[in-house]
Structures are given as structure tokens and as C-alpha cells.
Amino acid sequence: MRRLFPVTDMTASDADREWSLDELADAYAYPEEASGRSWLRANMVSSLDGAGQHDGRSQPLSSETDMRIFGTLRGLADVVIAGAETVRSEGYRPARARDAFAARRAAAGQGPAPVIAVVTASLDLDFSLPLFTEPLVPTIVLTGALSDRERRAEAERAGAEVVIAGDGRGVEPERVVAALAERGLRRQLTEGGPRLLGQFVAAGVLDELCLALSPTMTAGGAQRIAGGPPVALPKRFAVASVLEQDGFLFTRYLRI
């Protein structure tokens, strides 16, 4: 079964075919207000019992459709934000230009591929990796003013742009969003990890959550999709759309 509502008018005759990237891009298009201010959306996957990862990685919870949506969300974004642990565990590489999104990106005034922005306090990253030395556009490293200066210099020597977004060793979520928007990177996508997403939620800067609910159960003590200290009051979101395929629910929620 495959359903998406209410963003498109697909019928039962669509059930036996794979949705095109254009259809997915229409369904997940950034709202108009994103062109005038920053809009931060998150893309995460969760098991039925609340795990945001299995054995330290999100891939075991994923599916082919999940990866197509993952690629679509990247194809629409100005910048992809990820924490250093996620970059290390998921083996991040530079975002690539994709012909399927070239016309959309050109019409929106975007470059051929999104910028990758890595949030890190320790700067414990391998700056010899292609993510830093071979991107289409320079990777951004977001850190705090009291982080290690030599490591910041090493990142710059590798070709990264270092941006200070906090007064301590780490970043302040509001300043991350503002610093990227100041660089024209307003359509923002975070892929976690849980600690970073928890910081964005607690700061009240997350506008949208794209959550894939995987028809799996993991048990164990895997972390949820958002970590860190609890907020004083739960943040409320409203459902915007739901896609179902092969037992997966692909949902979009907007902050109220």
C-alpha cells in the first residue's frame, strides 16, 4: 500500500509504481516563507519501539523509499547540518550534484549541491577525508569560540570554512541557524544525531520534522531521535502529510 496525503492527489492506480523524484520533491517542497527567512527541518528515522539507530547507525532501520526521500530532502536544501558523531558513524561524504534536482535548484537560486555543515565542540574529525578536501562547495565547521584553535586552523587548511557559533567550546543552536542564514543558507536540513536534534528542539528553532517510522523493533538501549535534557514543556507539532509504503510511515510535522 502506498498513500500520501494531503499534499498530492494520487489515486489507487499509483500503487504499483515507484513515485518519481519530481513527485517527492513537490511533496516535500520548502514552504514559501523559507525564501525570506531560515527554515530548519529535521529528517530522522525511528523504530516502532522508539530507537533512532541500531548498532550505532540509522541504516538498519531504513528502506529504499526512505533513502529516496533522504536524497530528495538533500536535493531541496541549501545546507545539511550534522553533528560530528553522526558524520563519523555514518561516513559522511560531500553532497553531490544530481541532475534530477538541477532545474529546481537553479530556479531557486541554489548551487548545484547543498553545503555540508558539521557541528562540533571537540573538532575530533579527520580533516583529510573527502568531506573536507573534495566538496563541490566548502564544508562548514560550526564550533565555539573556546574550541581548540589549532584544530580550527587544521580544518581551514583542509579547505573547510570555520564558523564560530557559540561563546564556549560548543555551539548555541540559535546562532547556528542565524550564521547559516546570514550566508544565504536558509533552507536548512539537519540529519542529527540525537544530541544535536535535542539542542535544536530545546532552543525552539526546529520548524519541521520529517520522521520515517520504520516497521521494526530493536529492544535494547538505543538512543531516541532526540537526546539531551528535557524541555520545560513538550513542543507541539501538527501533522502536515503522511506517506505509507511497505509498512513504513513517512510523516511531516510542522511546529505550531
Side-chain angles (χ1 to χ4, degrees):
M1 185 189 305
R2 308 171 66 251
R3 297 180 183 141
L4 176 65
F5 57 90
V7 284
T8 64
D9 295 321
M10 299 195 179
T11 66
S13 63
D14 294 306
D16 295 328
R17 68 175 179 83
E18 183 176 69
W19 289 5
S20 71
L21 291 178
D22 275 339
E23 288 170 324
L24 289 175
D26 287 341
Y28 284 92
Y30 278 83
E32 291 185 5
E33 53 261 46
S35 62
R37 70 166 182 88
S38 62
W39 183 275
L40 177 62
R41 68 171 25 155
N43 181 34
M44 303 293 284
V45 62
S46 171
S47 69
L48 294 176
D49 52 343
Q53 52 189 250
H54 181 67
D55 197 23
R57 300 176 64 239
S58 61
Q59 191 278 332
L61 306 179
S62 187
S63 70
E64 182 178 348
T65 300
D66 185 39
M67 294 310 299
R68 283 172 63 80
I69 292 174
F70 174 92
T72 298
L73 293 177
R74 281 194 165 201
L76 298 173
D78 295 330
V79 58
V80 176
I81 311 167
E85 179 59 32
T86 296
V87 168
R88 289 189 293 265
S89 63
E90 302 285 352
Y92 266 51
R93 296 184 60 82
R96 58 190 177 93
R98 299 183 61 186
D99 291 342
F101 301 105
R104 285 179 183 267
R105 295 187 68 85
Q110 297 172 296
V115 177
I116 302 294
V118 184
V119 175
T120 175
S122 67
L123 290 105
D124 181 17
L125 295 160
D126 184 352
F127 295 118
S128 69
L129 293 176
L131 176 62
F132 303 101
T133 61
E134 300 176 11
L136 286 174
V137 287
T139 294
I140 293 176
V141 173
L142 294 147
T143 190
L146 299 183
S147 61
D148 187 275
R149 290 189 177 184
E150 178 52 37
R151 293 295 292 166
R152 296 194 324 239
E154 187 174 348
E156 291 175 335
R157 287 193 294 269
E161 178 185 0
V162 175
V163 175
I164 301 300
D167 294 330
R169 289 183 66 244
V171 302
E172 298 161 23
E174 303 94 331
R175 290 178 62 177
V176 168
V177 171
L180 294 172
E182 288 171 1
R183 287 160 174 78
L185 305 173
R186 297 184 179 89
R187 301 172 187 87
Q188 301 172 2
L189 170 66
T190 180
E191 297 171 350
R195 187 186 310 170
L196 178 61
L197 179 56
Q199 291 175 343
F200 284 136
V201 171
V205 296
L206 183 69
D207 297 295
E208 177 182 347
L209 173 64
C210 299
L211 176 64
L213 185 61
S214 171
T216 57
M217 297 186 71
T218 68
Q223 194 168 16
R224 299 183 305 159
I225 66 167
V231 297
L233 291 173
K235 306 292 185 180
R236 290 296 303 274
F237 288 71
V239 65
S241 65
V242 179
L243 161 68
E244 188 276 334
Q245 184 172 26
D246 298 330
F248 282 77
L249 295 180
F250 301 99
T251 65
R252 288 179 58 233
Y253 290 89
L254 304 182
R255 183 176 60 184
I256 299 175

